[in-house]
Each structure stands twice: as C-alpha cells, then as structure tokens.
Amino acid sequence: MPPTMQNPTVEADAGQSPGIRDLGRQLAGVARALEWALADEGRLASAPWLGTSCARRLDAVAGADAAVAVDGLAVRLRELDDASADARTALAQALHAELIELSPLSLMGGRVMGLPERGRLLQPRRRRRGREAKVAAETDETSPPTGRTDGAGSPEPDASASSGPAVVAGPDGSGETAEAPTEPRKRARSRGRKQRASRPEAAGGQPKARVHPLGHPEATGAGFAVLGIDGDLEATLKEAGIHTQAELLLRRPVRHERPDMADAETRSDEPVMVRGRILSRHTLLTPHGRRRTLTIDSPVLGRVVSRWLAPAPPRGWDSWQAGTEVALVGAVVDGEGTAMLYEAEPVGLDGRGSGLLPCYEIAGLDDREVRDVVARVLVAIQGGLQDPIPGKLLERHRLLGLDAALRDAHFPSNTGGRGRVRMAFEELLLMQLGVAWRAGRGRQERGIGHKVLHKTIGQVDAQHGVRLRDGQEVAFSEVRRDLGRSRPMARLLQGDVGAGKGLVCLMASLVVAENGNQVAMVAPDPLAAERSFLHAEALLRSVGVAPMLVADRVDHAQADAIRRGTAQVVFGTRALLDADVAWKRLGLVVVEERGPYGTVTGAHLAQGKGPRPDLLVTTRVPIPSSLTFTVFGDLDLSVIRRAEPPRCVATVLPSTERQEAYRRVREQVSAGRQAFVVLPVREGRDLLGYADAMRMAEALQGDLLEGCRIGVYSTDMTREERSRAFDDFQRRRIDVLVCTTYIEDAPTVANATQMLVEYADLHDAIRLHRLRGHVGFGNRAGASYFVLSDAPAAGSPERVQRVAAEQDGFRLAELDLHARGAAALLGDRAAEMPEFHWAAPEADRELLLRAREEAMKLISNDGSLRRVPALAAAVTARWGEWLGQAIPEPSPRGGGEGRNRRRRRRRRR
C-alpha cells in the first residue's frame, strides 16, 4: 500500500466529524461500483467512463478532515479508462483490493445509518394497541429528527437527541453501550402542527409528485399541444374523434403485428426486425438539419448502421447508451460496406420490447405516427396516474397497475395480453359498480321474509312424482335463501332449453303461497299466460293453491279476487303490475322474458310505503352475457346446469326431401314413439288456420303419415279444445301432434322423440333451438328434421345449419345477437347496450363474473363508495352518461363541533 493511503482512525465518539462519515460512504460506493463491474466480463467493457465517475465521487470529499489522502487514488481511477482491456481488468482488481483494505467495516456499512439508530432497529418492538398506539404515533410525528439528514435521506446519529442506552462505535469498530440522558417528548397541541410536522417539505425532503386520474383536465385530459405534437397530426386525430391524451390511451389497438427477424441474407424493401448492442451513437449538424446515426452490433448481420433525417429523434434516442441492446424495424439495404437502416422504427417505447407493434387503423394516419404519439404520452404520464382500483384487489386478481397495464396494452411484452385483461377488468368492474349502485343494492329496502316450509313441496312430490334434479335443486336453494330474507329478492334464473326453469319458478310460488302471500306470474303475451296456466292449474289445485288466469285485462271480478286474496297465484301479462290493480299481499313476481328483455325491473314493483315483493326473472333461452350483466345487471344470477345435453340429432333437408323426413317419422311412430309436426307463426298468428290445419292433418294421415293417429293444436281452437288435444297427446291417444311454434311453452313429453319443423328457414335461430329441446331427453335419443321452404331467403339455409350444428344454447344466444342485432332483443332499450373500449363480454365471460362479484362486495359493504372515492369518480367518468346519473361525491366531514357538543352533553348526564 502506498504510504499516503493509511488506515483511518475511527474515534469512539458518536459525534465524529461529517467529513469522515462522507469519506467512508464515498469509499464504500466506489468499492461497490468496481465490484459490480468486475462481476461480469462485459460490464467493464461497456462502462467506458467508470474510473472518471468514481474519481469524481472522491473529489467531492478531498478536503475531509481525515488521515487518508484520496488524490493518488483518484489519479489511478482515471487511468482505468485509458488502459487496455487486459490491463484494465487487472488495474480494477488491484484498486478494489486497496479499497477493501482501506475501508473498515464501520466506514463501509456502519456509517450509512447511525449506529444508535441501527441498535434500536435490532431491538424487538412490542405491538401497541388502543390509545397507547395513538399517543406513540403523534409523538413520532411531532418529534424532531435525530441528528441531520444527508443527501440520501438517511439520518445521522446525534447522541444528545437519543434516549435510553445508545450503541456507539469503538476504536476497533465494535459497538459499546453507553447511557444517554432521557428527555420527555412533548405532544403536539394542534392538528395543524401535526400536519406541518408530517409534510415531507417540513423535514427537508422533496415534495411528493402529484397524481391525477386518467382524463384529468390538468393531465391526460389535455390536448396534444403540450407534448409538442405537430399541428396537422393533432388536427387529424381530432377528426378521428381523439381530442385528449386519455382518449388516445383508451383507443384499443385493432391488432398487434410482429415483423420477421432479419437473417444474414436479408436485403429487401420489406421491414424486418434487427436486434443488437449499441456500439456508438452521434448527431451531426448538416445544412439540411440534424442527422442521427446509430451503430449496433447484430449477432445476425454484424455491424449495422441506422440513420434518421427526420426532425424529431426516434423513440428512446436520449436513453440509448453504448452497450444497450435495442431492436429496430426497417428495410435492410447495402451501403458504405455494411448493412444500413434508414428511418427505422424502434420497438416498444424506447427500442426495447417484444417487437409486437400495435396497429390502430385511424383514417388519415400511418400507424407509426400513432405509435410515436402513444409512446410519447406513455412516457409523459409515467408515475403520474392515479389507479382507481385498490391495491389489494389488484393483488387478489393478479392484475397490473394502471401505468404498467397501459404500456402493456399498447406495447405488450408478450402475447399474454395482461395489459388488455387489466383494462377490461377495470371497465367491467366500473360498469358493474354503476349498475349495482343505480339499482340501490347498497340500500336496505324492506321486503317480505317468507318462512320456507316444505309441506306443499312434499305433497307435489308425493302426489305427482315431481322431483327437482341436481341443477334445479342448486338454483332453487339460492331462490329459497333469498325468499327467507327480509330484503326483497332480485334474481335472474338462466338455463338452457329443457333445464327446468319453469319448475323452479313453480316451486318458488308454492313457498310464497304457503305463507299466505300472493304470486304474479307475468308472461310476455296473453297466449303464453294461458299456456302456462293450463299446464300448472291441475298441480296447483291438487295441493290447495287457488290459481287464476287473467288473459288480457283485469275485469271487476278478477280485481276483487286479487284484492281479497282469494286468488293466490295469478297468471297474466304486464297488466297485473299496473297501479290500478290492488293486491292484498303480493309476495312474489315471476316474469318470463322473451325479448324485448328488461321490461320489468325492481323499480316497477315499489308499492309506496309497503314492503316490496320479491322478483324472479326467467328467460325462455339463455341470453348473451352482454345483456345478462347490463340490462339485468342489477339482478343476482342463478344458472341451472343440465345434467346431460339432449341426445337430439338435427338434420337440415331441402323441400325436395320432405317425403324422406316424413318416412323417418313414420318408422319411429310404428316403433311406438310419438312426434311433433310444427308449422310456422307469422306476425303473432298461425300460418294456417284451424280449418286449414285440419285439412293438412287429414292429408298427412292419408299419404305421408298413413296409419298414424293425428291431432291438431292451434291457437284458433278454444282453451278447452287445446287442453284436451295436448292431454290426449300426453296419454298416447295421439301419435302425431300437428301444431305451431306455440307448443314450445308446453312441457316435454317423454315418449315424443321426433320433431319435423316445416319451413324452418322462416324461424329464428333461438326458436328452432327451443323447439328441438322438446325431444331427446332421458335414455331415448331424439331426432329433429328442419325442412326448408321451396325458395328460402339468402343466408337462411346457413343460419339453420348453424343451429343444427350448435347444441349449446349460451353459445347460440351470442350468435343470435350478432345475427339479429341488439334492437331485435331489446327493442327500445337497444340504446342501453354499453360500448366497451377493452372488454369483449362474449369472450370475457369469466372476467365479467369476477368483476361482478367484486362490485357486489364493494357495494354491499359501502353503498355510496365513500371509502373508495377514486373508484366512485372513475365510475362516473366512465359510465356516468350511460347510467343516466353520476355517483354523488362524498360530502366533506362537517358538523364536527356539533358532534363534540353532543358527546360532551352525554358525558355530563
């Protein structure tokens, strides 16, 4: 060791001079820098100014009052940069060894934090509770910092400010214990004083950076002029409907493309991706402007030179350093004896990324221009966005934060799509929160608590052998649990065709009627109400429940029976819920929806100051997910899972093969089975009247279905005639039932295994699926024959083929929504369909269910979202216009003086 570099003497006094402490930190930092560079062979070569930067650190403490001269060490560090590769490694190793020998343990680590403070941190701390914790927190806030604070923000020891036994450094670097006088700390006397003491500025720190929610007018809600964007480019973005930075960030890329990787022979006009380490970069001023040149070492192409003549630098230019690995996309050409790239585009935000480039397809703009603007916005907002989703919720669902999610959604690091998933989850969560808040899920409404008795249900099982399957029992247990609560039920019952939704609704009505309450069975039209009444009347009367049918309008006798309560289960239409219909005690409303959906909501059932009846909504077929959680978003969901799919094979036949279809039906009838022949309905009426249907039945019996007993079920028949015809079919007095599509409301007949649908192209997809669901249950396989008309419309045969090939009703509902549009399913409420930026409810069904579950928990625990004001503001900003109202902001806490006054009065008493 040179004679000038002697080991410093560390005094045992805790208040040693700041110069020695600063010197120790700088020596330790230089030693760690050299150790980092020597850990990898490439690091020392990629750090050309390592020695100079380390020497500057020592120059800052050259005048320290210590027995160490750092001038010679700084000179040798500067020589490190000019040495050759082999000599540089040896010199760095020698300098590192000298620094380790020069700096004792007390200087390298012990002085970063004062020894007394380190001693207190090592002592076990007892957990404080109650008032003791509050007093300790106030004392810590108001007490002055011990010692001084250096540039790194770590406090230095101050023997006079410490209380209790203090640990100080001895001459050999060991710790000794010394007694220090204790001084009681005073409590702050005002809230303002405590707040001033807790501010970072008051303690000498830097003020905390302000964060804003996405779309704030002072941040991402501003235009692009603040970013220096070209005026023509900004005007084109405004023409595309993008006026603010937030609107651009919420513009989901249409797709992501990954260019092909360059190979050794690549020389073409097609853009390819070139990766390599930066060798050098420089900017040259020319008469035509700035020319930026970057030289990289590609493992495939070797030395590659990339040049830019555009006024603006490429993305990430200022952050590129020698040794950094970057990826560029451009056409590779030959020039100057090496591969050249002109005006290449960096991947990602700054040339580092997966290479997936977003494509936005904005009219009038090249995708590269849009990517440059998006990257500039993402860099500008980094660390300045307020995430509306609480951190615990993000951790529970393993979601990215808002900053990282936006970067990954536009410039993904891989094909996993974590950024899009996070943005979709936020969008769905905010929508579900808004729907639940609008429906008053957080408010406690008064309902009717029904005692769940099983006497009537047991009679149905004993007398008729009606028993719920596993899927039905699960759904009925959820309904039964809601009926027993004092809070009104609001539930949607879903299930595929043949799942047994009607039976679950009937069991729920029996529970309510057994408690002495009334039930309204609301059907979409009078004929549907009549059919439901005919199939349920016998069962209800057998257990002592009085049903009544209101076909069209409520007459005086029916209104009187409803008012007196003698009608317990009333079948009818929406007219049952009119204000002029007085119920004695309406306990349950069962609504069957067929489209347009959402005609009855909980708001329609409010009866002044009385308790609100329970609401159970069911649909004839599954409805799309986007409707389930928007139109019916304020309802709880129960899904009946089928034990096994129906064993029904559907065959599409042209009109020329009609005789073949009837031949197959005739063979099954000869084997003891039964069949349906279904005719279409037009504009709510049968395509064939009763007389025409009878003539057709006679013609079939004499030709195509010779020897079969044929019956007719038509809407032109009286109620008694229809009931008698279906009863004969159930009891096998009829082999073939010629009917219309209204037979879809009838219960399934176990022996009916064949269905022939005439003019199948005139039916919509959902109706065909519902008709097919009447055959093929149990152990008997069924068959459906969809016979097309003589001249089907364009696209109709393909639609029928899709129905024949698809057995899942949930999937078929999504296809039907795409085919017919929201107006066919929602009617006037089609305008209520939400427009999503990131979410796709059809594909994100699982994500939607998770978001709905979290939203219901948040609303249940905090109905007005006062505990999460950022989340409430985000709901209003994203879905306020769609909801039709905004979540009110929590009012500032006021009246504190009044509360204190009331509290003092209670103490006096």
Side-chain angles (χ1 to χ4, degrees):
M1 183 188 310
T4 57
M5 301 183 64
Q6 302 173 0
N7 229 351
T9 302
V10 182
E11 300 180 7
D13 183 34
Q16 60 183 333
S17 64
I20 295 180
R21 292 194 295 266
D22 291 342
L23 174 62
R25 278 192 294 271
Q26 297 300 339
L27 289 175
V30 172
R32 286 193 295 267
L34 292 175
E35 184 177 355
W36 172 85
L38 291 170
D40 189 358
E41 296 180 358
R43 289 179 182 175
L44 196 59
S46 62
W49 309 108
L50 176 63
T52 302
S53 62
C54 292
R56 287 176 180 173
R57 298 188 64 174
L58 297 183
D59 291 342
V61 292
D65 184 13
V68 178
V70 298
D71 295 339
L73 184 60
V75 171
R76 297 184 66 191
L77 283 169
R78 287 188 173 89
E79 294 175 356
L80 182 66
D81 297 336
D82 300 328
S84 60
D86 297 337
R88 194 179 191 195
T89 303
L91 181 58
Q93 292 175 348
L95 288 170
H96 180 261
E98 292 178 9
L99 285 167
I100 294 299
E101 185 179 357
L102 175 66
S103 303
L105 179 63
S106 60
L107 285 181
M108 293 191 66
R111 294 306 178 190
V112 175
M113 175 179 287
L115 293 180
E117 283 75 9
R118 293 181 64 199
R120 284 200 297 269
L121 290 176
L122 293 176
Q123 294 176 2
R125 297 184 63 183
R126 179 171 57 90
R127 186 175 181 180
R128 298 164 175 171
R129 295 183 180 180
R131 182 170 180 81
E132 182 184 358
K134 182 177 180 181
V135 172
E138 293 175 349
T139 304
D140 291 341
E141 285 183 356
T142 56
S143 60
T146 60
R148 67 173 187 86
T149 303
D150 62 20
S154 56
E156 290 297 324
D158 188 354
S160 61
S162 61
S163 61
V167 181
V168 297
D172 57 350
S174 61
E176 297 181 357
T177 304
E179 292 293 334
T182 60
E183 181 180 352
R185 297 176 179 176
K186 297 182 180 180
R187 245 178 106 180
R189 297 182 179 179
S190 65
R191 179 173 299 180
R193 183 176 171 184
K194 288 189 292 183
Q195 291 177 349
R196 287 194 299 271
S198 62
R199 291 194 191 118
E201 297 88 346
Q206 295 296 326
K208 197 172 183 180
R210 294 189 62 185
V211 295
H212 299 281
L214 187 63
H216 193 276
E218 297 180 6
T220 52
F224 301 97
V226 295
L227 299 175
I229 302 298
D230 181 71
D232 295 337
L233 178 58
E234 184 177 9
T236 308
L237 288 172
K238 290 182 178 179
E239 291 177 1
I242 303 174
H243 299 83
T244 64
Q245 302 172 31
E247 291 176 352
L248 181 61
L249 292 178
L250 294 177
R251 182 71 172 249
R252 179 182 175 182
V254 177
R255 65 185 183 279
H256 285 87
E257 295 180 349
R258 189 197 299 271
D260 296 332
M261 293 295 297
D263 54 35
E265 304 298 329
T266 298
R267 298 294 188 275
S268 66
D269 295 336
E270 294 295 328
V272 294
M273 188 187 308
V274 180
R275 289 187 180 272
R277 288 185 177 273
I278 297 177
L279 298 177
S280 65
R281 74 176 184 110
H282 60 270
T283 303
L284 180 64
L285 294 177
T286 67
H288 304 287
R290 295 174 181 265
R291 187 181 73 181
R292 297 173 176 86
T293 304
L294 182 73
T295 305
I296 63 175
D297 182 18
S298 171
V300 177
L301 297 176
R303 187 170 178 270
V304 180
V305 177
S306 182
R307 287 180 178 171
W308 292 270
L309 301 177
R315 299 195 299 265
W317 174 264
D318 295 333
S319 64
W320 291 344
Q321 302 294 335
T324 305
E325 184 175 345
V326 296
L328 305 175
V329 177
V332 181
V333 297
D334 287 325
E336 301 180 7
T338 184
M340 298 288 296
L341 289 172
Y342 289 99
E343 304 299 333
E345 179 184 4
V347 302
L349 294 180
D350 55 358
R352 287 165 286 190
S354 63
L356 290 170
L357 300 178
C359 299
Y360 299 90
E361 297 184 357
I362 299 177
L365 288 177
D366 184 67
D367 282 331
R368 176 172 178 174
E369 294 179 303
V370 182
R371 287 193 287 265
D372 286 338
V373 179
V374 171
R376 190 175 298 186
V377 174
L378 288 173
V379 172
I381 67 171
Q382 190 169 6
L385 280 183
Q386 180 187 37
D387 198 334
I389 302 182
K392 292 183 179 180
L393 199 152
L394 293 175
E395 294 177 3
R396 185 157 57 246
H397 295 275
R398 298 181 180 179
L399 299 173
L400 297 175
L402 184 56
D403 273 346
L406 286 171
R407 289 194 300 272
D408 190 79
H410 290 278
F411 297 96
S413 57
N414 51 49
T415 58
R418 292 189 64 195
R420 189 209 70 85
V421 170
R422 192 269 188 218
M423 299 303 298
F425 180 85
E426 176 184 336
E427 199 169 27
L428 295 171
L429 175 68
L430 297 180
M431 183 194 67
Q432 292 300 307
L433 282 172
V435 170
W437 175 81
R438 182 178 62 180
R441 298 300 297 269
R443 299 189 295 268
Q444 295 295 330
E445 294 185 273
R446 187 161 63 96
I448 302 174
H450 310 277
K451 293 183 179 180
V452 181
L453 307 175
H454 296 83
K455 177 181 178 182
T456 306
I457 298 176
Q459 289 180 356
V460 171
D461 185 9
Q463 296 178 15
H464 302 277
V466 177
R467 190 169 300 173
L468 298 177
R469 298 190 296 269
D470 291 344
Q472 293 172 306
E473 187 62 48
V474 171
F476 182 52
S477 65
E478 296 174 350
V479 175
R480 193 168 54 225
R481 182 177 62 247
D482 286 352
L483 291 175
R485 295 173 176 169
S486 58
R487 181 189 175 197
M489 175 179 68
R491 185 167 291 275
L492 171 65
L493 182 62
Q494 282 244 66
D496 208 340
V497 174
K501 301 182 293 293
L503 184 57
V504 174
C505 295
L506 193 61
M507 291 296 182
S509 65
L510 290 176
V511 171
V512 175
E514 192 173 5
N515 280 265
N517 301 316
Q518 296 170 288
V519 181
M521 308 287 285
V522 180
D525 55 69
L527 288 176
E530 177 190 314
R531 290 189 292 272
S532 300
F533 173 77
L534 290 177
H535 301 311
E537 180 187 15
L539 187 145
L540 293 174
R541 292 191 184 279
S542 67
V543 294
V545 177
M548 186 178 72
L549 173 64
V550 180
D552 192 2
R553 61 182 181 84
V554 183
D555 57 28
H556 293 292
Q558 293 170 337
D560 184 65
I562 294 174
R563 184 176 60 255
R564 290 186 291 108
T566 56
Q568 294 176 280
V569 181
V570 183
F571 294 81
T573 61
R574 174 78 186 279
L576 294 176
L577 304 179
D578 291 342
D580 55 351
V581 179
W583 294 78
K584 181 179 180 180
R585 189 173 175 83
L586 180 60
L588 174 65
V589 177
V590 180
V591 181
E592 181 187 2
E593 297 274 11
R594 295 195 179 185
Y597 297 120
T599 57
V600 178
T601 62
H604 297 124
L605 307 181
Q607 297 183 346
K609 298 181 180 180
R612 204 195 83 180
D614 295 316
L615 175 64
L616 180 61
V617 180
T618 181
T619 57
R620 57 173 183 159
V621 290
I623 59 178
S625 300
S626 54
L627 303 185
T628 303
F629 301 104
T630 55
V631 178
F632 296 112
D634 56 339
L635 305 179
D636 295 320
L637 179 64
S638 293
V639 180
I640 302 179
R641 304 294 180 186
R642 291 186 303 194
E644 58 181 13
R647 301 167 58 196
C648 179
V649 179
T651 307
V652 181
L653 300 172
S655 59
T656 55
E657 299 184 16
R658 179 176 282 107
Q659 293 185 359
E660 174 64 19
Y662 278 102
R663 184 189 64 79
R664 299 179 187 178
V665 171
R666 188 170 62 249
E667 290 178 355
Q668 292 297 318
V669 171
S670 301
R673 303 290 181 258
Q674 293 172 277
F676 294 96
V677 175
V678 182
L679 301 175
V681 173
R682 279 296 182 143
E683 297 179 358
R685 302 297 301 174
D686 295 348
L687 191 63
L688 297 178
Y690 176 67
D692 295 333
M694 290 298 297
R695 284 193 293 270
M696 182 177 179
E698 293 174 0
L700 291 175
Q701 193 171 18
D703 185 12
L704 299 176
L705 295 177
E706 185 178 359
C708 300
R709 296 170 296 176
I710 301 178
V712 175
Y713 184 94
S714 173
T715 55
D716 289 343
M717 301 165 60
T718 64
R719 185 187 308 169
E720 290 77 12
E721 289 173 340
R722 286 194 296 269
S723 179
R724 189 182 309 114
F726 191 80
D727 184 68
D728 290 341
F729 187 67
Q730 282 184 310
R731 299 179 184 277
R732 301 190 184 183
R733 302 190 190 103
I734 295 175
D735 298 324
V736 179
L737 187 63
V738 179
C739 56
T740 61
T741 54
Y742 287 123
I743 200 66
E744 64 184 353
D745 295 313
T748 58
V749 178
N751 194 49
T753 61
Q754 305 294 305
M755 174 167 287
L756 192 150
V757 181
E758 288 280 6
Y759 308 101
D761 53 291
L762 300 181
H763 303 277
D764 59 65
I766 292 299
R767 176 156 282 171
L768 289 175
H769 179 66
R770 185 168 171 81
L771 290 171
R772 177 180 55 186
H774 277 269
V775 295
F777 285 95
N779 297 325
R780 299 175 180 178
S784 298
Y785 305 100
F786 298 152
V787 182
L788 303 176
S789 58
D790 296 335
S796 297
E798 291 78 8
R799 173 171 49 83
V800 179
Q801 286 285 0
R802 283 198 301 269
V803 177
E806 184 62 60
Q807 291 281 348
D808 186 5
F810 290 92
R811 173 63 181 162
L812 200 59
E814 300 289 352
L815 296 176
D816 185 56
L817 175 62
H818 285 290
R820 294 198 294 160
L825 300 181
L826 295 178
D828 296 336
R829 300 191 66 184
E832 298 184 12
M833 281 289 293
E835 296 181 1
F836 296 99
H837 296 314
W838 301 96
E842 300 86 357
D844 296 331
R845 180 178 175 83
E846 183 65 27
L847 195 67
L848 203 157
L849 290 174
R850 287 161 52 191
R852 178 180 173 82
E853 181 182 0
E854 291 293 346
M856 293 304 169
K857 288 180 182 178
L858 287 169
I859 287 292
S860 299
N861 298 329
D862 185 9
S864 299
L865 300 178
R866 294 179 181 272
R867 302 174 190 169
V868 280
L871 204 56
V875 173
T876 299
R878 177 64 182 90
W879 295 109
E881 184 177 354
W882 178 75
L883 292 170
Q885 52 189 324
I887 298 181
E889 296 183 2
S891 58
R893 293 186 176 181
E897 186 64 29
R899 288 196 299 270
N900 293 337
R901 191 182 302 115
R902 288 192 295 271
R903 192 177 297 115
R904 285 196 295 270
R905 290 198 199 102
R906 285 195 293 269
R907 288 200 192 103
R908 292 194 190 103
R909 293 195 192 101

